[in-house]
Amino acid sequence: MFGIKKPVGKIKENINNGLSYLTVNISTWFGVFKDKLRWKSRLVLANRWARHNPKRFFAYFLISMISLITFNETIYFLVKKHNGENNRSSVLTVRPVFAGMNRINVNKEGLKQQISELIDDGNQLLVVLDSLYNLPHKTRIDSIEIYRVMKQIETISNILDNETELKTD
């Protein structure tokens, strides 16, 4: 009754066409199933029957929903009863995750404090550098000190640039 007759010549012809074979046959198979099962006409008949028998339709609908919900709840409670011990252990496995999150927050606070200290040190070094630049007569020692302070400021700047790159990623 529900068999599908395939035209052999057409299939052999479509095999040579590659992907078009699949698309043509899938669409024709769906068409065959739609025609064989007559879904559209059965749906029309079912809707007509439901309009003429609303109380019976509602009773069937209600019984089917109640049985479906009961079946689902039964399966759920059986699975829950079977895996009840695992639920407790899954709560216990969450504790290390929260401990790790707390550790991350503590490390973030420490990192923020280090960054603020670096910024303060950089501002102090900028004040020292400005005072060294404003000297009217610079000695060799002053020039060496200017170079050393500039290197420190450059190092602090590189560290802060790397921190901002990490935050943006």
Side-chain angles (χ1 to χ4, degrees):
M1 179 177 169
F2 292 107
I4 300 172
K5 294 183 179 178
K6 301 176 192 174
V8 178
K10 194 170 192 178
I11 290 177
K12 286 182 181 178
E13 182 179 310
N14 286 333
I15 287 175
N16 296 330
N17 293 338
L19 188 59
S20 64
Y21 164 75
L22 291 175
T23 57
V24 167
N25 281 320
I26 287 174
S27 64
T28 56
W29 284 10
F30 281 130
V32 167
F33 282 131
K34 187 176 76 172
D35 293 341
K36 288 281 186 183
L37 296 177
R38 299 180 309 226
W39 285 345
K40 190 173 183 179
S41 61
R42 290 181 186 195
L43 187 63
V44 168
L45 289 174
N47 285 337
R48 186 182 305 153
W49 178 85
R51 271 195 308 270
H52 290 296
N53 303 305
K55 290 181 183 179
R56 191 176 286 179
F57 171 74
F58 182 71
Y60 287 152
F61 176 77
L62 194 62
I63 289 170
S64 64
M65 287 297 118
I66 289 172
S67 61
L68 181 68
I69 291 171
T70 306
F71 178 73
N72 281 341
E73 291 297 318
T74 305
I75 297 297
Y76 173 74
F77 283 120
L78 288 175
V79 169
K80 185 178 177 183
K81 182 180 178 183
H82 186 334
N83 296 333
E85 297 166 357
N86 292 340
N87 290 338
R88 291 186 198 120
S89 65
S90 66
V91 171
L92 294 177
T93 58
V94 174
R95 284 186 181 170
V97 173
F98 284 121
M101 291 172 65
N102 287 336
R103 195 175 318 123
I104 288 171
N105 284 336
V106 167
N107 289 342
K108 278 185 181 179
E109 292 298 323
L111 189 62
K112 286 179 184 177
Q113 185 178 2
Q114 288 176 351
I115 289 174
S116 64
E117 288 175 2
L118 279 175
I119 290 172
D120 291 341
D121 291 345
N123 288 335
Q124 290 174 356
L125 288 173
L126 283 175
V127 170
V128 169
L129 186 64
D130 282 342
S131 66
L132 288 173
Y133 271 139
N134 291 332
L135 289 176
H137 300 287
K138 296 177 191 72
T139 62
R140 186 176 193 291
I141 296 173
D142 292 333
S143 297
I144 292 173
E145 185 66 20
I146 289 172
Y147 180 76
R148 187 185 63 78
V149 170
M150 285 180 65
K151 279 294 186 184
Q152 286 179 343
I153 291 173
E154 183 180 345
T155 304
I156 290 173
S157 174
N158 288 340
I159 291 171
L160 292 176
D161 283 343
N162 287 340
E163 289 298 323
T164 56
E165 286 177 9
L166 290 176
K167 286 181 183 177
T168 57
D169 289 343

